[in-house]
Amino acid sequence: MRRIVLASASPRRKELLRQLIGDNFEVCVSSYDEAPQPGMDATELVVHHSLSKARDVASKFDSGIIISADTVVLCEGHILEKPHSTERAKEMLESINGKVVKAITGMTVLDIDSGNEVSISEITDVKMKDMSVDEITSYVESGEPLDKAGAFAIQGKGAILVESISGDFFNVVGLPLFRLGMILEDMGVHIFEIE
């Protein structure tokens, strides 16, 4: 069994990877600083961040496969990252109220042994329901929107704020499992043979 390393502190990504390959991986958080990159659009930015995180973690190992990802929500051309205050979470929810937003994930799978790096982006359209002021306030007070790209968690209570999606559900959570599974298979990690 190849060593697989998830380069993320996200409990959601950890749970998704566990769903795909069980507990056959370890976590090593990248020290890469996700600073803004002027001139990059949202898709370029998340791919750049995921590749940089993967390379940073790969430098700490002699062998294995590194998986990293970065997710943002795009609303009318504006990148909505993670709100770090209740005020910012409320502003974000008001800005996406009733709109279709894009959950964009950049993901990199890096094979240290072969030097093969695969970076992709995945986009899922998310139609938010028309939320009342009370719904937004109650959701923010639940604490769930904090530290979630776009200020909502589709896999949590935020599910009732999402009217529909077009694309990969898991991508909205933070790790596009279908694409990840295909890349791992191409690298010789056979998902259905992992115990």
Side-chain angles (χ1 to χ4, degrees):
M1 176 70 196
R2 301 281 309 277
R3 167 184 254 170
I4 298 176
V5 180
L6 177 63
S8 175
S10 165
R12 296 164 295 284
R13 288 195 182 109
K14 187 175 177 183
E15 193 52 45
L16 288 176
L17 187 56
R18 182 177 288 121
Q19 185 176 325
L20 194 66
I21 64 170
D23 288 316
N24 302 294
F25 67 95
E26 55 194 280
V27 173
C28 179
V29 180
S30 167
S31 55
Y32 167 73
D33 178 21
E34 293 179 22
Q37 302 292 320
M40 286 189 183
D41 66 21
T43 302
E44 293 168 329
L45 180 69
V46 292
V47 169
H48 172 79
H49 284 335
S50 75
L51 180 57
S52 298
K53 287 193 275 192
R55 286 176 175 168
D56 175 66
V57 170
S59 70
K60 300 169 186 172
F61 293 89
D62 296 325
S63 180
I65 293 175
I66 311 298
I67 300 167
S68 66
D70 187 50
T71 303
V72 296
V73 170
L74 193 68
C75 180
E76 298 177 334
H78 299 288
I79 294 174
L80 304 178
E81 294 180 337
K82 299 171 185 174
H84 295 292
S85 70
T86 54
E87 295 78 19
R88 182 66 185 129
K90 190 173 180 184
E91 287 171 12
M92 281 190 188
L93 289 165
E94 288 168 351
S95 75
I96 65 175
N97 194 1
K99 295 178 182 168
V100 174
V101 299
K102 294 183 181 303
I104 306 174
T105 298
M107 180 176 67
T108 296
V109 183
L110 188 158
D111 185 338
I112 296 171
D113 302 281
S114 69
N116 188 15
E117 296 176 338
V118 178
S119 292
I120 59 102
S121 61
E122 185 75 26
I123 300 174
T124 303
D125 288 333
V126 182
K127 171 70 170 82
M128 306 302 295
K129 73 170 274 195
D130 290 316
M131 297 173 266
S132 69
V133 172
D134 286 346
E135 283 176 312
I136 290 174
T137 301
S138 295
Y139 185 53
V140 170
E141 287 174 355
S142 77
E144 188 177 88
L146 296 177
D147 203 39
K148 306 285 190 308
F152 69 95
I154 194 171
Q155 74 282 10
K157 292 178 180 174
I160 65 166
L161 307 179
V162 175
E163 195 171 300
S164 64
I165 71 164
S166 176
D168 185 336
F169 167 83
F170 302 108
N171 182 55
V172 185
V173 184
L175 200 62
L177 292 186
F178 175 75
R179 300 279 297 276
L180 175 58
M182 299 294 282
I183 293 167
L184 289 173
E185 288 281 341
D186 285 346
M187 289 185 173
V189 177
H190 304 297
I191 302 301
F192 295 114
E193 294 173 9
I194 297 174
E195 294 180 7

